[in-house]
C-alpha cells in the first residue's frame, strides 16, 4: 500500500512512522511518500497561497501547485482523499475500503482553506476525522495512514484484527494480563478456566455490555 501525501509540511508526516506502521514500511508492505507542494510553487518565492477572492481573513492555497504536485505522481486512477472538517466522518468501514487500494493520495489543506477548483478537479473523497478543526490536514492524514496501514495484509496478524473494536460493530471486550491480583482486583475466573467456548461466550457478552454502556449509538 502506497500513501502519497500532498502537503506543505512533509516532515510532519514522519510522526506516523512508528510501531506497526514502521514495521510495515521495513517489511516493504507500506510506503509513505510525502510530496512537498511548495516544490511546485508558482514563483521563485515558493508561493503556494494567495488572498481570497471576495475578501475575508487568511490565505487560501492556490490550485496550480497542488495540481502539479498531484500530476507529478502520475496516478490518475488513484483515489484522492482531501482531509477537511467538512468531509464524511472517518470510521473503520472507510478504513477497510481504503485498505483495498494500492495507492492512496492524501491532500492536506492549510491556512484558511484551498481553492475549490482543485477539489472539484482531482478530489474523489472528502474525509474528516471528527467534528473539530485542526490547523491543517497532516494530523488527519496520519490518522488515516495509521488506521488504513494496519489493515494492509500481513502488517498485523489477522487474529489480532478479528476481535478488535468495530470489527463486528461492537467495542472490544476487556483484556487482562498478569498479575492475577492487582490492588485487590482479580482477573475474572472464567479466563483461567481453559474453557475456550465459555471464554468466547463471556467475551461476546462483555463486548455487547461495553457497547451498550459506552456507545449505544453503535447498536442503533
Ligand atoms: N483539517 C482540519 N480539521 C480537520 C478535521 N477535523 N478532519 C480532517 N481534516 C481536517
Amino acid at each position: 500500500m502506497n500513501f502519497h501525501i500532498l502537503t506543505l509540511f512533509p516532515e510532519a508526516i514522519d510522526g506516523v512512522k512508528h510501531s506497526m506502521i514502521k514495521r510495515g514500511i521495513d517489511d516493504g508492505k507500506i510506503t509513505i511518500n510525502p510530496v512537498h507542494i511548495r516544490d511546485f510553487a508558482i514563483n521563485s518565492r515558493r508561493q503556494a497561497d494567495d488572498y481570497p477572492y471576495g475578501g475575508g481573513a487568511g490565505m487560501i492555497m492556490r490550485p496550480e501547485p497542488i495540481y502539479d504536485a498531484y500530476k507529478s505522481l502520475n496516478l490518475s486512477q488513484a483515489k484522492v482523499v482531501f482531509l477537511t472538517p467538512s468531509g464524511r466522518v472517518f470510521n473503520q468501514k472507510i478504513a477497510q475500503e481504503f485498505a483495498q487500494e494500492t495507492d492512496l493520495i492524501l491532500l492536506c489543506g492549510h491556512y484558511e482553506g484551498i481553492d475549490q477548483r482543485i477539489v472539484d478537479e482531482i478530489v474523489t473523497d472528502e474525509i474528516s476525522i471528527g467534528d473539530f478543526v485542526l490547523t491543517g490536514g497532516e494530523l488527519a492524514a496520519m490518522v488515516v495512514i495509521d488506521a488504513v496501514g494496519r489493515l494492509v495484509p500481513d502488517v498485523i496478524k489477522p487474529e489480532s484484527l478479528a476481535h478488535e473494536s468495530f470489527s463486528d460493530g461492537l467495542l472490544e471486550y476487556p483484556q487482562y494480563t498478569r498479575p492475577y491480583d492487582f490492588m485487590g482486583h482479580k482477573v475474572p475466573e472464567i479466563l483461567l478456566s481453559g474453557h475456550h467456548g465459555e471464554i468466547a461466550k463471556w467475551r461476546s457478552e462483555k463486548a455487547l455490555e461495553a457497547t451498550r454502556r459506552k456507545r449505544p449509538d453503535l447498536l442503533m
Side-chain angles (χ1 to χ4, degrees):
M1 174 97 204
N2 308 307
F3 296 99
H4 310 270
I5 308 97
L6 307 179
T7 171
L8 287 169
F9 298 93
E11 65 287 350
I13 306 298
D14 285 346
V16 79
K17 297 180 189 168
H18 294 287
S19 177
M20 293 296 169
I21 301 302
K22 178 172 188 312
R23 195 191 298 171
I25 296 168
D26 292 346
D27 292 347
K29 310 269 186 259
I30 294 173
T31 70
I32 310 268
N33 173 32
V35 181
H36 197 349
I37 293 170
R38 213 175 285 289
D39 289 344
F40 300 85
I42 55 159
N43 55 30
S44 57
R45 286 179 290 116
R46 313 239 309 147
Q47 186 185 351
D49 60 344
D50 223 317
Y51 294 98
Y53 272 112
M59 301 292 272
I60 307 296
M61 286 168 71
R62 291 179 62 120
E64 317 96 302
I66 299 173
Y67 188 71
D68 291 345
Y70 163 71
K71 275 296 197 189
S72 76
L73 291 170
N74 214 355
L75 290 169
S76 56
Q77 302 303 308
K79 278 187 192 293
V80 180
V81 179
F82 173 41
L83 287 315
T84 165
S86 0
R88 252 188 319 153
V89 178
F90 191 57
N91 60 23
Q92 193 66 14
K93 186 160 170 284
I94 302 175
Q96 274 151 0
E97 275 167 36
F98 286 170
Q100 308 303 311
E101 304 291 320
T102 309
D103 290 280
L104 202 59
I105 302 173
L106 300 165
L107 170 59
C108 304
H110 245 276
Y111 310 124
E112 294 304 311
I114 78 178
D115 191 292
Q116 182 60 34
R117 291 164 295 181
I118 196 69
V119 179
D120 298 342
E121 187 66 28
I122 67 170
V123 168
T124 58
D125 298 78
E126 295 187 46
I127 293 291
S128 164
I129 61 160
D131 292 340
F132 44 81
V133 181
L134 301 166
T135 54
E138 284 76 13
L139 274 172
M142 287 194 282
V143 167
V144 171
I145 292 169
D146 193 280
V148 175
R150 62 194 292 287
L151 298 177
V152 169
D154 301 326
V155 169
I156 290 187
K157 288 199 260 22
E159 313 86 272
S160 305
L161 297 177
H163 296 293
E164 65 183 10
S165 290
F166 308 114
S167 60
D168 48 9
L170 298 178
L171 301 183
E172 201 178 6
Y173 49 77
Q175 295 272 28
Y176 300 86
T177 183
R178 280 182 284 211
Y180 168 69
D181 186 331
F182 175 65
M183 296 171 79
H185 302 282
K186 300 192 175 57
V187 173
E189 287 303 325
I190 181 82
L191 300 177
L192 310 168
S193 68
H195 242 287
H196 296 300
E198 291 298 310
I199 292 173
K201 190 161 152 265
W202 180 86
R203 285 177 165 167
S204 308
E205 284 164 11
K206 289 291 170 189
L208 189 58
E209 194 182 299
T211 312
R212 254 198 218 113
R213 188 161 36 88
K214 297 191 254 187
R215 291 291 307 276
D217 56 297
L218 294 176
L219 299 170
M220 294 196 282

